[in-house]
Amino acid sequence: MIKITNESFDLEKEFKFVSSDINGAYSFFLGTVRSDLSSLNKKIKGIYLECYEELALAQLKKIRSKALYNWKLNECLIIHRIGKLDLGEKIVLVITASSHRTNAIEACEFVIDSLKIDVAFWKFHLLNDDTKEMVSQKNLDNEKMLKWKDIIN
Amino acid sequence: MIKITNESFDLEKEFKFVSSDINGAYSFFLGTVRSDLSSLNKKIKGIYLECYEELALAQLKKIRSKALYNWKLNECLIIHRIGKLDLGEKIVLVITASSHRTNAIEACEFVIDSLKIDVAFWKFHLLNDDTKEMVSQKNLDNEKMLKWKDIIN
Amino acid sequence: MNITLKYFSWIRVKLKKSHDLIELNQKTNLKDLKNKLILKDPIFQEIFEDDSVKYFLNLKEIDDENHTLNNGDILAFLPPVTGG
Amino acid sequence: MNITLKYFSWIRVKLKKSHDLIELNQKTNLKDLKNKLILKDPIFQEIFEDDSVKYFLNLKEIDDENHTLNNGDILAFLPPVTGG
């Protein structure tokens, strides 16, 4: 399942969607709005998430298919929020379900790493003075993605 | 937080315990009772989990401390069930909370890998003919643990 | 023929709009379109000089400037993404 | 002096009990205890010959057979663990 939404979500409910007796292992990645921004001395009060929805859905679908295929997953759920989010709010959830834990864990990391550099979302910090500031892409995220190139088809 | 319990748990509620604005990244591992046992042709109807509770708590505390220290986590939660569990039921939950996703994901994998080979729990399959069958330790789990030896202190 | 342009992130902010509907002659290619846009608004010069900006035509990435556009095409201007 | 023995997994199943309270002479070490147990019940022979079984004395792993036991000690017999 793939969902782009401006509403929050409940982890237990989302787990129920992918839950099945054939799985023994689930790996979750949950990203939230963090107040502590090491690179800035500014305080933020939240974020704003912009999205090219048609494209993002197509890109997420592709990433999900790769994860399902390469790690023989039984299920993979991806939810991404859009719009205005307060500090601490959930931004993104990935759940991978497999018979084996190593597959679930690796695939989950692949999905979030891919999402960070390949899906049409843009983040802005909402500052305390009511201005918006664009968040820059991290070199580290691009470098980290390279490690998957040899692993996946 | 470390908990050994015979009751099930709600993922959203457990997340709330470790949730804070200082974290941007949470990694979860959830293990459940799987019906499909590739190594056996037998059907199971559940599992029974035995535990040396005082020792298991001490062992989990040590693993948790290593995870917190080596990956600079802000929080780490470990819950493990004991007693009789039906197919599909939750067995174990690990949540790691960090500012950075790679730390959260690696630490979470370290905790579950360590738990599998270093904590005083024993699993029995409950077979359809009402007999119990001991689950054997997997060589793969021991081998996988070796990869952490060079990484952690 | 008509082409829809979609702007995201700093490009949207800079242009103060999220999309444009523009009329082009038949057989216009991506390069012709870029030149036309620069004449219309010099901000486009800055956009086209930024190597990190990607162009998606009908949801597929495109980097061939000689690609001929068609009526109804949707061309999106994408700065590096920062989701997750 | 008294020592508590705790049995887990297949050892518990085989012995049909989860623990024992046994009385020992002062200065008994782990080796003496093992010999005493084998005399009491030959099943212990099988347990002690299994290299995968670990011994925890008061929650700490012990592999020195000459370690002297003390009154109130808790010695646990642990087959390879299979949690998670």
Side-chain angles (χ1 to χ4, degrees):
Chain A
M1 198 191 64
I2 294 171
K3 200 158 66 180
I4 295 175
T5 173
N6 53 16
E7 281 174 31
S8 194
F9 46 83
D10 179 284
L11 297 176
E12 184 66 28
K13 279 186 193 153
E14 299 306 333
F15 164 65
K16 289 233 165 68
F17 279 116
V18 296
S19 155
S20 156
D21 291 359
I22 60 168
N23 304 314
Y26 300 84
S27 180
F28 294 50
F29 179 80
L30 176 66
T32 58
V33 183
R34 175 159 67 97
S35 59
D36 151 48
L37 301 165
S38 45
S39 59
L40 297 169
N41 277 325
K42 296 171 189 165
K43 293 260 177 197
I44 70 158
K45 59 178 185 183
I47 63 166
Y48 177 79
L49 268 158
E50 183 181 351
C51 172
Y52 181 8
E53 200 160 332
E54 300 91 322
L55 179 60
L57 283 170
Q59 290 168 322
L60 289 173
K61 202 173 157 185
K62 207 164 154 186
I63 292 170
R64 181 177 179 273
S65 298
K66 282 187 190 174
L68 287 167
Y69 175 78
N70 281 280
W71 285 276
K72 297 172 187 62
L73 302 179
N74 296 321
E75 250 305 347
C76 174
L77 169 150
I78 309 173
I79 304 179
H80 203 293
R81 302 276 297 281
I82 48 173
K84 213 176 146 238
L85 302 184
D86 291 334
L87 294 184
E89 274 202 79
K90 294 172 188 137
I91 303 171
V92 60
L93 176 67
V94 178
I95 310 181
T96 51
S98 166
S99 319
H100 302 289
R101 78 178 183 287
T102 305
N103 281 9
I105 294 169
E106 266 197 28
C108 188
E109 188 172 19
F110 165 76
V111 171
I112 188 65
D113 284 354
S114 302
L115 190 156
K116 289 258 173 190
I117 64 146
D118 267 340
V119 185
F121 292 105
W122 296 271
K123 214 177 268 161
F124 293 82
H125 287 140
L126 303 176
L127 306 180
N128 273 339
D129 61 5
D130 279 328
T131 59
K132 270 187 199 175
E133 189 173 70
M134 192 186 73
V135 175
S136 301
Q137 198 175 48
K138 295 193 194 95
N139 280 335
L140 209 65
D141 286 338
N142 279 301
E143 284 159 25
K144 204 183 162 207
M145 197 59 212
L146 296 176
K147 89 165 195 185
W148 299 109
K149 298 275 180 238
D150 299 331
I151 299 173
I152 68 144
N153 288 306
Chain B
M1 197 190 65
I2 293 170
K3 200 159 67 181
I4 295 175
T5 172
N6 52 16
E7 282 175 29
S8 194
F9 46 83
D10 180 284
L11 297 175
E12 184 66 28
K13 278 186 194 154
E14 300 305 333
F15 163 65
K16 290 233 166 68
F17 278 117
V18 296
S19 155
S20 157
D21 291 359
I22 60 168
N23 305 313
Y26 300 84
S27 180
F28 294 51
F29 179 80
L30 176 67
T32 59
V33 182
R34 176 159 68 97
S35 59
D36 151 48
L37 301 166
S38 43
S39 59
L40 297 168
N41 276 325
K42 297 171 188 163
K43 291 259 176 198
I44 70 160
K45 60 179 183 182
I47 63 166
Y48 177 80
L49 268 158
E50 182 182 351
C51 172
Y52 182 7
E53 199 160 332
E54 301 91 323
L55 179 59
L57 283 171
Q59 290 168 322
L60 288 174
K61 201 173 157 185
K62 206 164 154 185
I63 292 169
R64 182 176 178 272
S65 298
K66 281 187 190 174
L68 287 168
Y69 175 78
N70 281 279
W71 284 276
K72 297 171 186 64
L73 302 179
N74 297 322
E75 249 306 346
C76 174
L77 170 149
I78 308 172
I79 304 180
H80 203 293
R81 301 277 296 281
I82 48 174
K84 213 174 147 244
L85 302 184
D86 290 334
L87 294 183
E89 274 202 78
K90 294 172 188 140
I91 303 172
V92 60
L93 175 67
V94 179
I95 310 181
T96 50
S98 166
S99 319
H100 302 288
R101 81 178 180 288
T102 304
N103 280 8
I105 294 169
E106 267 197 28
C108 188
E109 188 172 19
F110 165 76
V111 171
I112 187 65
D113 284 354
S114 303
L115 190 155
K116 289 258 173 191
I117 65 147
D118 266 340
V119 184
F121 292 105
W122 296 272
K123 214 178 267 160
F124 292 83
H125 287 139
L126 302 176
L127 304 179
N128 273 340
D129 61 5
D130 279 328
T131 59
K132 270 186 198 176
E133 189 173 70
M134 193 185 73
V135 175
S136 301
Q137 198 176 49
K138 296 194 193 95
N139 280 336
L140 209 65
D141 286 338
N142 280 301
E143 284 159 25
K144 205 182 163 206
M145 197 60 211
L146 296 175
K147 89 164 197 187
W148 299 109
K149 298 274 181 241
D150 299 331
I151 298 174
I152 67 144
N153 289 307
Chain C
M1 62 177 190
N2 291 310
I3 304 282
T4 303
L5 304 179
K6 283 179 174 275
Y7 311 125
F8 294 95
S9 186
W10 68 261
I11 299 176
R12 178 183 55 74
V13 172
K14 200 141 230 165
L15 291 169
K16 296 190 180 73
K17 55 189 171 185
S18 64
H19 62 280
D20 260 327
L21 187 67
I22 59 162
E23 225 185 297
L24 296 175
N25 297 328
Q26 291 292 334
K27 309 223 169 154
T28 302
N29 64 24
L30 185 55
K31 193 173 186 163
D32 303 330
L33 170 63
K34 284 185 173 181
N35 291 331
K36 197 179 152 106
L37 289 170
I38 292 167
L39 288 176
K40 220 176 105 178
D41 186 339
I43 289 176
F44 282 100
Q45 182 79 42
E46 185 187 338
I47 297 168
F48 298 138
E49 277 172 359
D50 185 336
D51 287 341
S52 72
V53 175
K54 290 180 177 178
Y55 302 91
F56 277 72
L57 184 67
N58 306 324
L59 306 183
K60 291 213 161 48
E61 191 172 352
I62 178 178
D63 52 13
D64 174 11
E65 297 223 316
N66 297 315
H67 188 101
T68 307
L69 299 166
N70 292 307
N71 185 42
D73 276 354
I74 297 172
L75 182 70
F77 293 50
L78 274 69
V81 302
T82 53
Chain D
M1 63 177 189
N2 291 312
I3 304 282
T4 303
L5 303 179
K6 284 180 174 272
Y7 312 124
F8 294 95
S9 185
W10 67 261
I11 300 176
R12 177 182 56 74
V13 172
K14 200 140 229 165
L15 291 170
K16 296 191 181 71
K17 55 189 170 185
S18 65
H19 63 280
D20 260 328
L21 187 67
I22 59 162
E23 225 186 295
L24 296 175
N25 297 327
Q26 291 294 333
K27 309 226 168 150
T28 301
N29 64 23
L30 185 54
K31 194 172 186 163
D32 303 330
L33 170 62
K34 284 185 173 182
N35 290 331
K36 197 179 153 108
L37 289 171
I38 291 167
L39 288 177
K40 219 175 103 178
D41 187 338
I43 290 176
F44 281 101
Q45 184 79 41
E46 185 186 337
I47 296 168
F48 297 138
E49 278 173 358
D50 185 335
D51 287 342
S52 73
V53 175
K54 290 180 177 177
Y55 302 91
F56 278 73
L57 183 67
N58 305 324
L59 306 183
K60 293 216 162 47
E61 191 172 352
I62 177 177
D63 51 13
D64 175 12
E65 296 223 316
N66 297 315
H67 187 101
T68 307
L69 299 167
N70 293 307
N71 185 43
D73 275 355
I74 298 172
L75 182 69
F77 294 50
L78 275 67
V81 301
T82 53

